Amino acid sequence: MHRIGHANPDVESAAGIISKALAAGRLALTEVEAKDFLRCYNIPVPQGFVATQAGEAVAAATHLGFPVVLKGVSTSVLHKTEAGLVELDVRDEDEVERGFHRLLRRGGEQTSGVLVEQQAARGREFVIGLTRDAQFGPVIMFGVGGVLTEAIDDVAFAVAPVDRRDALELVSSIRAHRLLGEFRGWPAVDRHVLASVMEAVGRMAFDHPEIAEIDINPVLIDGGRPVAADVLLVLRPDLGSPLVRPEVNLVNMMAVFRPASVAVIGASNDPTKWGGTILTNLVSGGYGGRLYPVTPQVETVLGLHAYPDVTSLPEAPEMALVAVPLPLVKGVVEECGRKGVKALVMVTAGFSEVDEAGSALEREIAQIASDYGMVLIGPNCMGVVSSRHRLYAVGALHLQPKPGPAGFVSQSGNVGVQLMVSAERRGAGVGTFIGVGNEALVDTADVLDFLREDPDTGCVFAYIEGYDDGRRLLESARALTERKPLVVLRAAVSDYGREAAASHTGALAGSQRVFEGAARQAGMLLTIDPDEFLDMAMAFSYLPLPRGNRVGVVTMGGGWGVLCADEVARSGLTLARFDDELLHTLDALLPSFWSRGNPVDLVATLKEGVAEAVVEAIMASPQVDILVVSGVVSVFGLTEGILAQAKRLHEQGVINLAEVDAVEPGVYARRREHFIRHLVDLMERYRKPILSVAAVPVGRSVFPDWGDFGVVVIQSPVRAVRVAAQMARYAERRRRLQTGLG
């Protein structure tokens, strides 16, 4: 008999187990080896013995105590349950002997013996796994385990290595996380021991790069502590070479957003062409630096003296916007490098998005730019905007947003500018925009690093489709969110075409799930809804962060309050409880039949000053961290519209309403403006966010023109509460980091 485990296991012993398997030409450990391996990392496994004779199996079972588990030992069968090589709850010596022979018959020549183990307490079953993602590298999985893991599909991921905070968050991320508490007489799971197992599994990936996949399934809970009842460990000796990218001189990123001089290479007098649109936007936007059109075809472009090529320019422009035909690109990049240009923004398309020849050219120009120390944005990008410096260097459309605290990076030019136009129509400002295009040299992570240090950027929002180096993106995002909110609109989330994997972990590790895990670790605020994306971006741009998660709700009608309250519960927020003092204050302001609780129904009260006083009383309460005001801002506009229509009918003689003449024209429009200013003043005084909800669709939805904060109007009470929840989560993360509890 062979006893599993070592007295004092270590990493060197674990490496020896892997080396032995690889030397024998095997790409998976036997269960005996795999459990030896886990013991090397102090992960609890059941005590067990390997028997090659029936008498040894009976002796082992007697020594361990009944009931026991019998498992066929095989170097080739990875999933023993499916192959019928597992027998549970074996309770006497006769059944051990019969089970031993059954397993050998079922396994045939592939079975070298039978593992006899203590049977851990059955009940709650979990899975802990490791796989290697193409973009993020090693990732940890945790979820509901057992033979139905893939069918139940309740798992979550985190990028390895994981620390204790990451592991505990991962435990809480599955839908069935309540199973970890006291449940039907079972004790609560020791989450810290469970987290320590995940930390150890994450470390294995870096200690042993030959490991491809690990499945510890099921992890059984015995007396509240986890035990690895079964383990699959798959090896792959050649995991490929790490990604190598040309060096990026990020010092020159400043030339992208604050260039003292700009050349437009491929400039045109035709505003429908890229070179014409970009130059038109720069001139009409009031760019104050030196501007150099470059084209050999004409002597002037838009009234500016044109230069035939880069070498003829009177100085080295800090930034060059390149909009030339594909065959000319390589030569232009070389010319810019020799001239001393600091940054290139290349809108020319036809590279890796087309074919392999385009990919090869893209790699060439990236290397040339890197060799000269130039920053290269694109190719195949929409351009850049720095509204504070009146730099509107984009093509294809007129886009000139006013300054704002948000920085926006987009991997899609079309999606990026359309979202920018939507933000502009809402009345919001955007400080910087960069379409990174194909990311030949500068990628999204580089831009996040720049915006993290940019003093003019207060929050960042990003549209992300893909990434070559997910781990670097995670590191950049994590560093950014320690200082500033990062709102991410994630696209390309489907996992069609995923390769088959040996383990449950590999089979369930879809790109979106892994990204969601990385986003959670990094503190990203993730959405797949463009409207919610803009709602969050504007809220983080213009509202103060909440101090907690207690929500007060004020509405013009009961139904909106019910919707808000329901979403508060779904979003993990708390509906604030009003004390007697606050209720008495509201009693004095509202009709006797008001709801006397939270949400506060104004029962359509339009009496001047009432809404303002109610909102102020709730904002002043220490019981409220966030206020949602639904329907008030828009109701003033509705009333103004009704009055205007009545006056027209009166003037036309259709109706006779003498009292209409007593209503001053525009009174409700002025009340609306006064109410908005009042909300801004309250946020300034109490440093709490107010989210406004429109009862009907409105045009402008951001009013940032007064003070440090602005009013953000969201089109749905449900969306408003979701935004409030994201703000509360981010604020809590910031507090934990600042207090050292993160």
Side-chain angles (χ1 to χ4, degrees):
M1 291 189 295
H2 168 66
R3 175 120 180 217
I4 295 175
H6 303 282
N8 295 298
D10 56 25
V11 175
E12 185 176 348
S13 299
I17 295 170
I18 290 178
S19 297
K20 180 180 177 181
L22 290 174
R26 291 188 283 116
L27 295 183
L29 300 185
T30 66
E31 184 170 357
V32 175
E33 293 170 328
K35 286 183 173 173
D36 263 343
F37 188 89
L38 293 191
R39 284 182 178 271
C40 290
Y41 286 84
N42 299 308
I43 295 175
V45 299
Q47 187 179 2
F49 300 88
V50 175
T52 57
Q53 302 292 330
E56 292 180 339
V58 171
T62 302
H63 174 79
L64 293 171
F66 292 100
V68 295
V69 177
L70 305 180
K71 300 179 181 180
V73 177
S74 173
T75 58
S76 57
V77 178
L78 297 183
H79 299 287
K80 293 181 292 298
T81 300
E82 288 88 334
L85 295 182
V86 177
E87 296 206 1
L88 302 173
D89 202 30
V90 180
R91 292 187 170 270
D92 58 46
E93 294 180 358
D94 289 341
E95 190 57 34
V96 169
E97 185 171 353
R98 288 193 294 270
F100 177 89
H101 291 299
R102 280 196 299 269
L103 292 180
L104 289 184
R105 284 197 305 273
R106 291 171 188 164
E109 295 180 356
Q110 296 176 327
T111 304
S112 59
V114 172
L115 172 62
V116 184
E117 281 188 336
Q118 290 175 322
Q119 179 163 298
R122 310 300 296 184
R124 292 166 290 181
E125 297 185 346
F126 298 99
V127 57
I128 296 174
L130 168 76
T131 189
R132 295 184 185 269
D133 181 75
Q135 282 77 38
F136 285 99
V139 295
I140 300 294
M141 182 183 82
F142 173 74
V144 176
V147 295
L148 298 178
T149 293
E150 289 181 51
I152 295 171
D153 197 15
D154 185 8
V155 297
F157 289 84
V159 177
V162 293
D163 57 20
R164 184 56 53 91
R165 183 196 70 195
D166 290 335
L168 291 174
E169 285 185 347
L170 187 57
V171 167
S172 300
S173 296
I174 63 172
R175 297 188 301 275
H177 61 87
R178 291 184 180 178
L179 285 174
L180 295 156
E182 292 183 3
F183 187 77
R184 293 195 173 184
W186 292 324
V189 177
D190 189 327
R191 294 190 180 212
H192 284 276
V193 174
L194 195 61
S196 70
V197 174
M198 296 183 213
E199 292 176 67
V201 172
R203 178 182 170 184
M204 292 172 187
F206 296 92
D207 289 345
H208 311 284
E210 305 92 343
I211 295 176
E213 298 176 30
I214 298 175
D215 243 24
I216 307 175
N217 184 30
V219 175
L220 298 176
I221 306 302
D222 193 349
R225 296 174 67 83
V227 176
D230 201 356
V231 57
L232 169 66
L233 198 155
V234 181
L235 305 174
R236 187 171 60 191
D238 181 14
L239 290 172
S241 302
L243 179 69
V244 178
R245 61 194 293 264
E247 184 177 349
V248 182
N249 181 11
L250 289 178
V251 173
N252 284 338
M253 279 291 288
M254 192 66 73
V256 176
F257 296 108
R258 298 176 179 87
S261 52
V262 174
V264 179
I265 305 173
S268 172
N269 280 307
D270 184 348
T272 65
K273 294 183 177 179
W274 280 87
T277 307
I278 293 171
L279 192 59
T280 299
N281 277 328
L282 285 167
V283 173
S284 65
Y287 171 64
R290 298 177 296 280
L291 196 54
Y292 301 112
V294 176
T295 175
Q297 298 173 345
V298 293
E299 294 184 357
T300 62
V301 180
L302 299 184
L304 299 172
H305 176 67
Y307 297 84
D309 50 42
V310 175
T311 58
S312 63
L313 293 173
E315 63 171 320
E318 290 194 345
M319 180 174 74
L321 291 134
V322 181
V324 299
L326 192 65
L328 303 180
V329 164
K330 185 177 176 181
V332 166
V333 175
E334 285 277 8
E335 283 185 357
C336 289
R338 289 194 297 267
K339 187 71 175 180
V341 173
K342 294 180 179 179
L344 295 176
V345 177
M346 184 166 294
V347 302
T348 303
F351 294 88
S352 60
E353 78 278 10
V354 175
D355 54 26
E356 181 51 41
S359 296
L361 178 58
E362 184 173 298
R363 291 191 293 270
E364 279 191 79
I365 64 170
Q367 191 61 59
I368 294 169
S370 175
D371 291 343
Y372 280 108
M374 291 187 292
V375 167
L376 171 63
I377 308 299
N380 186 33
C381 77
M382 191 67 74
V384 298
V385 169
S386 180
S387 55
R388 286 185 183 84
H389 300 88
R390 306 198 67 79
L391 178 78
Y392 301 106
V394 292
L397 79 168
H398 175 76
L399 182 64
Q400 294 179 4
K402 62 186 178 182
F408 181 20
V409 53
S410 177
Q411 290 184 335
S412 166
N414 287 328
V415 171
V417 296
Q418 287 171 28
L419 289 170
M420 287 277 284
V421 169
S422 296
E424 192 174 11
R425 288 176 179 171
R426 288 184 178 211
V430 178
T432 55
F433 165 75
I434 180 167
V436 290
N438 292 2
E439 299 184 316
L441 188 58
V442 171
D443 63 11
T444 300
D446 293 321
V447 179
L448 297 183
D449 290 341
F450 173 81
L451 294 175
R452 181 185 71 233
E453 302 297 332
D454 180 27
D456 293 331
T457 300
C459 63
V460 179
F461 51 119
Y463 172 77
I464 296 177
E465 292 179 348
Y467 32 85
D468 291 327
D469 190 344
R471 189 166 293 269
R472 201 169 65 83
L473 177 66
L474 167 63
E475 292 167 356
S476 295
R478 195 200 299 261
L480 171 65
T481 59
E482 290 179 2
R483 304 187 195 179
K484 304 171 184 181
L486 171 59
V487 181
V488 174
L489 176 61
R490 168 78 167 128
V493 300
S494 63
D495 297 316
Y496 293 121
R498 191 165 65 245
E499 293 181 3
S503 68
H504 293 299
T505 308
L508 291 169
S511 61
Q512 176 64 0
R513 279 182 160 152
V514 174
F515 185 84
E516 286 172 355
R520 183 183 62 252
Q521 287 173 275
M524 299 182 199
L525 304 161
L526 196 61
T527 181
I528 58 173
D529 181 347
D531 290 323
E532 187 175 72
F533 175 68
L534 286 177
D535 290 340
M536 286 197 287
M538 298 306 97
F540 279 104
S541 291
Y542 296 110
L543 304 181
L545 290 176
R547 300 188 188 98
N549 70 344
R550 298 168 301 173
V551 181
V553 179
V554 176
T555 77
M556 267 294 174
W560 292 120
V562 173
L563 289 171
C564 285
D566 287 345
E567 192 60 29
V568 164
R570 282 191 293 266
S571 299
L573 299 171
T574 299
L575 205 60
R577 292 186 177 275
F578 294 168
D579 61 18
D580 289 341
E581 182 180 354
L582 177 54
L583 290 174
H584 291 326
T585 300
L586 298 177
D587 280 338
L589 295 168
L590 293 167
S592 59
F593 51 88
W594 80 281
S595 53
R596 294 207 87 251
N598 184 22
V600 176
D601 184 357
L602 295 176
V603 289
T605 301
L606 288 177
K607 184 178 178 181
E608 189 164 1
V610 170
E612 289 87 345
V614 168
V615 169
E616 182 164 359
I618 297 172
M619 282 289 280
S621 171
Q623 303 143 41
V624 175
D625 303 307
I626 306 165
L627 182 60
V628 176
V629 180
S630 181
V632 181
V633 169
S634 53
V635 79
F636 290 127
L638 293 174
T639 305
E640 185 71 26
I642 289 290
L643 288 173
Q645 179 66 15
K647 286 182 70 69
R648 281 194 295 272
L649 293 173
H650 177 71
E651 291 167 358
Q652 294 168 5
V654 177
I655 60 176
N656 183 15
L657 294 175
E659 62 270 22
V660 172
D661 291 327
V663 178
E664 182 183 352
V667 64
Y668 281 97
R670 287 192 291 276
R671 284 188 60 186
R672 177 173 179 263
E673 182 175 329
H674 177 269
F675 184 74
I676 289 171
R677 288 181 180 273
H678 185 62
L679 296 185
V680 173
D681 178 64
L682 292 176
M683 287 191 285
E684 294 275 0
R685 274 194 278 156
Y686 296 106
R687 299 285 155 165
K688 301 176 184 179
I690 301 174
L691 292 106
S692 295
V693 181
V696 295
V698 296
R700 181 180 179 186
S701 55
V702 180
F703 301 86
D705 299 324
W706 312 302
D708 293 337
F709 302 118
V711 170
V712 176
V713 181
I714 295 173
Q715 298 297 318
S716 154
V718 172
R719 275 169 39 194
V721 174
R722 288 175 184 166
V723 171
Q726 294 278 33
M727 296 184 75
R729 290 187 196 108
Y730 177 72
E732 174 62 20
R733 177 185 175 85
R734 282 283 297 271
R735 282 190 294 272
R736 292 179 64 85
L737 289 171
Q738 290 167 1
T739 56
L741 298 175

